[in-house]
Amino acid sequence: MSARILVAEDDPKQANLVRVYLEREGHSVLVVGDGRAALEQCRSRRPDLVILDVMMPVVDGLDVCRILRAESTLPILLLTARTTEDDVLLGLDVGADDYLTKPYSPRELAARVRALLRRSGVLSAGNQAVLRVGNLEVDPGRFEVRIDGRLITLTAKEFGILEVLAGEPGRAFTRAQIIDRAFGFDHYVLERTVDAHVMNLRRKIEIDPAEPRYVQTVFGRGYRLAEPTADGAELPA
């Protein structure tokens, strides 16, 4: 399952590196450049995890961490060039869940993020029910889709769209709703991009993409996943 991650880092090059690695892990990432923006986005977007650079303008990372910890149990990872034991202890004392010193390996950062998400339950496969709609199964914990037991390989965005639709079979979702639920912070996704992902998704799961049985177009609205027949054995032809 992808997570919604906020990265607060005032160094654009460093912020982009973090974003790229986390997006490769399948997460939705929003980057801000100062502490005030980090607080605003955390309160309005409610991410699954926040990564804070300690040395930020307007409001520094330690103060942001202290404020966020007073307001929530949001997992917080601090990034800093300070390497003394006192600095590390200070970061943990104000409420950080983990602490990574610069320079760091992006792979280590990604591993720390996975550990925090597992600890918080976001990546816990046992807490995520398999979505079954007729002969279609969507398993968020394992990031797997099966039709009649056959494994279908999807990209992260294709999986996200199908997971949203499978969560409420028969409901028509607008493209904007799909973007919000499936892609989270990825505000660069355009509505027409959803159409392209749906087209690719149909190529993988439909017998005839031109006559879709699963992901159906609702004209004037968006898309829906067809509801199963009365016996639940399979979706209608």
Side-chain angles (χ1 to χ4, degrees):
M1 177 181 178
S2 65
R4 294 156 58 97
I5 299 176
L6 175 70
V7 176
E9 167 64 75
D10 63 325
D11 181 339
K13 184 177 180 180
Q14 193 74 23
N16 186 61
L17 180 65
V18 172
R19 180 186 61 78
V20 168
Y21 266 82
L22 293 179
E23 287 182 344
R24 286 179 182 175
E25 295 274 308
H27 302 304
S28 296
V29 181
L30 175 67
V31 175
V32 297
D34 66 72
R36 180 177 297 166
L39 287 171
E40 291 173 352
Q41 293 301 324
C42 281
R43 288 164 175 164
S44 63
R45 301 291 191 103
R46 299 189 180 279
D48 297 308
L49 180 144
V50 61
I51 298 173
L52 297 173
D53 179 31
V54 170
M55 300 295 291
M56 284 192 298
V58 187
V59 182
D60 73 24
L62 292 176
D63 284 336
V64 172
C65 183
R66 186 181 294 109
I67 294 168
L68 289 177
R69 184 52 69 238
E71 297 177 352
S72 73
T73 58
L74 173 70
I76 299 171
L77 172 62
L78 286 180
L79 303 177
T80 182
R82 299 172 177 174
T83 59
T84 69
E85 182 180 22
D86 286 343
D87 289 326
V88 174
L89 292 176
L90 177 59
L92 297 175
D93 283 343
V94 298
D97 296 280
D98 202 355
Y99 202 101
L100 196 56
T101 58
K102 300 179 180 180
Y104 55 82
S105 159
R107 292 178 60 189
E108 181 181 3
L109 172 67
R112 298 281 189 102
V113 166
R114 286 195 299 271
L116 286 175
L117 291 172
R118 282 196 301 269
R119 196 181 310 163
S120 67
V122 175
L123 295 186
S124 175
N127 292 336
Q128 301 175 54
V130 176
L131 304 173
R132 293 184 174 87
V133 186
N135 58 348
L136 172 69
E137 291 187 1
V138 180
D139 187 338
R142 295 179 178 275
F143 196 75
E144 291 180 351
V145 171
R146 296 179 184 272
I147 296 177
D148 290 327
R150 178 172 58 91
L151 183 64
I152 309 295
T153 301
L154 302 180
T155 67
K157 286 185 168 57
E158 292 162 2
F159 186 93
I161 291 172
L162 190 58
E163 182 182 1
V164 169
L165 300 180
E168 297 183 63
R171 173 180 171 178
F173 288 87
T174 66
R175 291 165 179 81
Q177 289 171 330
I178 291 172
I179 290 172
D180 181 62
R181 295 190 182 205
F183 306 144
F185 286 148
D186 193 353
H187 54 281
Y188 297 107
V189 174
L190 303 176
E191 291 195 0
R192 64 176 178 271
T193 307
V194 174
D195 297 333
H197 288 304
V198 168
M199 181 174 63
N200 291 332
L201 176 59
R202 284 172 170 166
R203 288 176 179 147
K204 295 177 180 180
I205 69 173
E206 304 285 357
I207 297 175
D208 180 0
E211 297 287 341
R213 300 171 58 227
Y214 298 97
V215 180
Q216 300 178 339
T217 300
V218 181
F219 294 101
R221 181 69 177 175
Y223 298 100
R224 70 181 174 202
L225 187 71
E227 294 182 278
T229 54
D231 60 10
E234 61 180 39
L235 294 172

